[in-house]
């Protein structure tokens, strides 16, 4: 397991005996984690609490009890306060892209960080240039391919320079080559990544895997070992 | 639509004001021949957008049946002149409004509309939120159309008949779920920026 040693890139999040109840049901049960690896995967069956767990990290959900910390901050202060720290990529780009053109979409988060309209646009354009996608600026988002849309979602988050990027099944709409391309590109980012994925081969080269089962951590550690255990358990069958 | 045509460079406020002024000015015109040059000028406006500009005129295709219906109805009740006037008036307004949308970025549009919404503050409604809602609506029209199409597909795939109005409720439910997702994504990037602070 590799820890990033570059102090400039120091990051991490932790959960301390976190309990989360939604509509009377216990979704997370006493979860305690300390995570400061650069590439972290989160696996588990549907309904195991993965999406709920990551939503605690940016304040979209608040723990019923216990404490969540992201880079020393408390996300329970609300998503608005933590948006500059935690970038969130959702499953479906169409749920996430708010503006009709790429430039407006990328500039949006900057406005929320306090930039003026003009400064935000200039900064967004400069960012697109560094990504070699300046020609996308004026493109209408609905004309982009699914892979391009997902990239725009990531750009829109990346431009805010978060320390942690959470990806909630980001590849479900992407074909295999696009998935590989985006994955490669993600691996080059300096940020800490926390990725939920059902495509287990996407988690190659990750530093740590966390396996959630029924709201609890069932496995945690070296990816090969966790994947193996998860596969074994899956072969044993599930009850639908 | 991306571009640097003269219409793109015109400030959003000017375009919106002109749209309103033209719409009002057309109202008293009751001679179909006087409206024809206005219609032609509007079409010329599309031509100034550069290559592909005139292609954008096809947007009126879906409303053509309605226009035809209005034309027939007006001609039947008030004569052919009234019918042609009504037809051209609606065409000009739809095309002009679309021309403004095509050549104005959402951001600029919101900024232009904001001052008009300012009085809302007296009743406790933040104007920037309304402006934002309008922008969202425009962005999600294609998404909602795709949603409708996929529901219709699922309906047909299982042998659904012609009573397609039955899709209204699932469509509504899907739209509400979509809005939940969008709200979440918005919050995740820091909520709705408040323009009045800049």
């Amino acid at each position: 397991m590799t820890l990033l040693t570059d102090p400039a890139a120091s990051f991490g999040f932790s959960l301390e005996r976190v309990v989360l109840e939604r509509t009377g049901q216990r979704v997370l049960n006493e979860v305690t984690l300390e995570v400061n690896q650069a590439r972290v995967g989160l696996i588990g069956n549907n309904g195991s609490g993965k999406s709920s767990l990551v939503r605690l990290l940016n304040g979209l959900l608040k723990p019923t009890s216990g404490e969540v910390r992201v880079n020393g901050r408390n996300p329970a202060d609300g998503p608005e306060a933590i948006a500059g720290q935690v970038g969130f990529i959702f499953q479906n780009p169409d749920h996430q892209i708010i503006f009709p053109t790429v430039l407006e979409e990328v500039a949006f988060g900057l406005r929320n960080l306090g930039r003026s309209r003009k400064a935000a646009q200039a900064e967004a354009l400069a960012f697109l240039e560094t990504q070699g996608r300046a020609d996308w600026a004026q493109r209408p988002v609905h004309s982009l391919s699914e892979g391009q849309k997902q990239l725009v979602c990531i750009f829109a988050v990346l431009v805010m320079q978060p320390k942690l990027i959470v990806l909630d099944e980001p590849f479900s709409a992407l074909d295999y080559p696009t998935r590989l391309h985006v994955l490669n590109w993600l691996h080059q980012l300096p940020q800490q990544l926390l990725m939920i994925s059902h495509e287990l081969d996407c988690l190659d080269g990750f530093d740590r895997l966390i396996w959630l089962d029924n709201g609890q951590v069932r496995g945690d550690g070296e990816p090969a070992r966790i994947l193996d255990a998860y596969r074994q358990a899956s072969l044993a069958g599930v009850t639908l | 639509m991306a571009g640097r045509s003269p219409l793109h460079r015109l400030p959003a406020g000017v375009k919106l004001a002109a749209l309103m002024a033209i719409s009002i000015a057309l109202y008293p015109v009751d001679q179909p021949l006087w409206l024809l040059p206005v219609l032609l000028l509007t079409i010329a406006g599309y031509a100034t957008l550069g290559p592909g500009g005139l292609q954008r005129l096809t947007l009126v295709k879906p409303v053509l049946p309605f226009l035809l219906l209005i034309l027939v109805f007006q001609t039947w009740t008030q004569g052919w002149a009234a019918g042609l006037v009504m037809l051209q008036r609606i065409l000009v307004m739809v095309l002009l409004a679309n021309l403004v949308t095509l050549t104005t970025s959402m951001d600029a549009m919101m900024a232009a509309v904001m001052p008009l919404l300012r009085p809302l503050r007296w009743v406790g409604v933040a104007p920037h939120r309304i402006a934002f809602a309008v922008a969202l609506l425009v962005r999600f029209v294609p998404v909602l159309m795709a949603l409708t199409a996929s529901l219709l597909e699922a309906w047909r795939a299982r042998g659904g008949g012609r009573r397609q109005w039955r899709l209204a409720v699932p469509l509504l439910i899907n739209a509400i779920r979509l809005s939940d997702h969008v709200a979440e994504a918005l919050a995740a990037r820091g909520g709705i920026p408040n323009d009045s602070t800049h």
Side-chain angles (χ1 to χ4, degrees):
Chain A
M1 222 182 286
T2 51
L3 285 166
L4 278 205
T5 43
D6 176 9
S10 82
F11 43 56
F13 61 87
S14 62
L15 287 82
E16 179 72 36
R17 296 173 64 92
V18 166
V19 173
L20 177 70
E21 280 171 4
R22 293 177 81 176
T23 55
Q25 278 207 318
R26 193 162 272 221
V27 185
L28 292 174
N29 195 2
E30 301 261 338
V31 174
T32 298
L33 287 167
E34 171 85 46
V35 184
N36 36 31
Q37 288 78 9
R39 305 287 176 249
V40 184
L42 186 57
I43 58 172
N45 300 346
N46 291 333
S48 57
K50 305 183 300 292
S51 289
S52 298
L53 190 151
V54 294
R55 278 166 175 73
L56 289 171
L57 298 176
N58 68 346
L60 286 174
L61 292 175
K62 292 177 177 49
T64 311
S65 69
E67 205 186 44
V68 181
R69 289 265 149 197
V70 179
N71 301 310
R73 292 173 194 235
N74 187 358
D77 295 342
E80 282 84 357
I82 201 91
Q85 295 283 315
V86 184
F88 208 103
I89 310 292
F90 295 82
Q91 195 171 352
N92 185 343
D94 271 331
H95 293 161
Q96 183 163 356
I97 297 181
I98 300 158
F99 286 89
T101 64
V102 174
L103 185 66
E104 289 173 282
E105 178 65 17
V106 176
F108 170 69
L110 295 171
R111 302 273 312 285
N112 274 329
L113 293 180
R115 316 286 206 280
S116 73
R117 191 182 298 273
K118 260 199 172 137
Q121 293 236 335
E123 212 172 308
L125 192 61
F127 177 82
L128 284 175
E129 260 159 31
T130 62
Q131 299 294 336
R133 307 282 186 182
D135 56 317
W136 283 14
Q138 298 303 331
R139 283 219 204 152
V141 282
H142 63 80
S143 74
L144 300 173
S145 73
E146 285 305 309
Q148 290 171 332
K149 276 188 201 168
Q150 197 57 283
L151 267 188
V152 168
C153 288
I154 302 173
F155 287 165
V157 157
L158 210 54
V159 76
M160 298 172 80
Q161 298 184 302
K163 298 238 166 55
L164 166 65
I165 298 180
V166 176
L167 304 112
D168 188 355
E169 291 181 49
F171 301 132
S172 26
L174 306 188
D175 57 37
Y176 189 60
T178 314
R179 189 184 307 166
L180 289 182
H181 176 85
V182 175
L183 194 62
N184 263 332
W185 182 82
L186 280 171
H187 269 295
Q188 285 156 18
L189 298 177
Q191 276 87 356
Q192 183 180 26
L193 300 183
L194 174 64
M195 184 163 92
I196 296 180
S197 185
H198 287 302
E199 276 107 354
L200 301 181
D201 55 331
C202 285
L203 300 165
D204 279 348
F206 271 54
D207 303 315
R208 174 174 174 183
L209 277 198
I210 298 165
W211 170 17
L212 274 190
D213 187 27
N214 241 329
Q216 284 178 311
V217 178
R218 180 153 163 199
D220 181 4
E222 211 262 316
R225 182 170 63 80
I226 303 297
L227 276 180
D228 202 43
Y230 181 63
R231 282 199 179 103
Q232 293 295 330
S234 303
L235 284 174
V238 284
T239 43
L240 289 180
Chain B
M1 184 187 183
R4 303 189 203 299
S5 77
L7 276 173
H8 278 91
R9 284 197 298 264
L10 218 56
V14 174
K15 280 184 275 194
L16 286 172
L19 178 64
M20 194 167 76
I22 294 171
S23 304
I24 294 171
L26 287 183
Y27 199 72
V29 180
D30 53 6
Q31 297 295 318
L33 270 180
W34 293 6
L35 280 170
L36 194 60
V38 185
L39 185 58
L40 290 175
L41 267 175
T42 307
I43 293 171
Y46 278 77
T48 66
L49 298 182
L54 284 174
Q55 228 172 358
R56 298 289 174 146
L57 288 167
T58 51
L59 135 123
V60 292
K61 241 197 209 152
V63 287
L64 278 181
F66 297 99
L67 290 179
L68 214 68
L69 212 68
I70 290 168
L71 176 69
V72 170
F73 184 75
Q74 283 282 330
T75 309
W76 181 48
T77 54
Q78 295 174 50
W80 62 269
L84 279 179
V85 164
M86 189 58 102
L87 176 75
Q88 292 186 90
R89 193 186 286 155
I90 296 176
L91 259 180
V92 166
M93 293 206 291
V94 168
L95 285 174
L96 273 183
N98 182 55
L99 195 55
V100 173
T101 326
L102 276 177
T103 57
T104 315
S105 77
M106 193 49 66
D107 249 5
M109 195 83 90
M110 274 157 69
V113 177
M114 277 287 287
L116 300 175
L117 298 172
R118 208 143 280 160
L120 284 174
R121 200 165 281 164
W122 302 330
V123 290
V125 179
H128 68 277
R129 285 176 181 268
I130 304 292
F132 200 85
V134 173
L136 272 184
L137 184 75
V138 174
R139 150 74 183 117
F140 280 95
V141 165
V143 178
L144 285 172
M145 275 163 72
L147 187 64
T148 314
S150 71
L151 275 175
L152 210 59
E153 245 178 5
W155 168 265
R156 288 200 187 118
R158 281 179 291 160
R162 304 193 63 183
R163 286 181 296 171
Q164 289 171 357
W165 55 267
R166 285 177 151 207
L167 289 176
V169 172
L171 181 63
L172 187 67
I173 292 169
N174 269 294
I176 291 169
R177 280 183 51 194
L178 173 67
S179 68
D180 263 353
H181 286 299
V182 174
E184 209 177 33
L186 252 176
R189 276 194 291 162
I192 299 169
N194 190 346
D195 281 290
S196 52
T197 55
H198 302 306

